[in-house]
Amino acid sequence: MTTLDEMDQSLLRFLRRDARTPTAELARRLGVSRTTVQARLEKLERTGVIAGYTIVAGDAVDAGMIRATVLIQVEPRMTASIVAALGRMREVEGLFTTAGRFDMAIQLAAAGTPQLDSALDRIGELDGVRGMESLIHLTAKIDRRR
């Protein structure tokens, strides 16, 4: 496990806001040389702290998308095949194990209600799914994905 000092944490905070920030700008914000920032970035990448860089799509991409959280109960012996099947569904944005009455929480995104309904039907038909509950997302009050 890599220990992150204050500079590493600050660097990660800046990159989370904008991963395209030039190295020279990061150096200026941190009050260090450009080569120091470059060396820190290389270390963070090499140790797996930074696993990659990505884009955050704007609101225009998500316009009209409908999202839901689906809670499912599964037969324990079927967990691996259910995870594999959910991994093949393009509507699945995330899959999490949970504690409590439900075994997994699925984050879905679909182009519209017919596509969401179809995805829900496919999940319910998977061998080993004993029960499910769907929570349709209406309005985001806090969204830290961006």
Side-chain angles (χ1 to χ4, degrees), residues 70-85:
V70 182
L71 305 172
I72 62 172
Q73 296 169 320
V74 302
E75 295 289 337
R77 62 183 173 74
M78 300 298 291
T79 300
S81 65
I82 290 170
V83 169

Side-chain angles (χ1 to χ4, degrees), residues 76-143:
R77 62 183 173 74
M78 300 298 291
T79 300
S81 65
I82 290 170
V83 169
L86 292 171
R88 290 188 296 272
M89 291 179 62
R90 70 178 180 276
E91 297 89 353
V92 174
E93 288 187 319
L95 175 62
F96 311 90
T97 57
T98 61
R101 194 164 59 103
F102 293 95
D103 302 302
M104 295 181 191
I106 308 163
Q107 290 293 119
L108 294 180
T113 52
Q115 293 85 354
L116 181 62
D117 191 39
S118 173
L120 293 171
D121 287 346
R122 285 181 277 138
I123 292 168
E125 292 169 356
L126 292 174
D127 285 338
V129 172
R130 292 186 306 186
M132 59 190 268
E133 184 174 329
S134 304
L135 306 165
I136 309 301
H137 300 191
L138 299 176
T139 303
K141 301 297 185 182
I142 299 172
D143 186 354

Side-chain angles (χ1 to χ4, degrees), residues 32-43:
V32 297
S33 72
R34 188 184 157 290
T35 55
T36 298
V37 169
Q38 190 61 46
R40 291 290 182 120
L41 287 172
E42 289 170 5
K43 179 191 82 165

Side-chain angles (χ1 to χ4, degrees), residues 2 9 11-12 19 32 76 105 125 134:
T2 301
Q9 291 175 5
L11 184 57
L12 289 171
V32 297
E125 292 169 356
S134 304

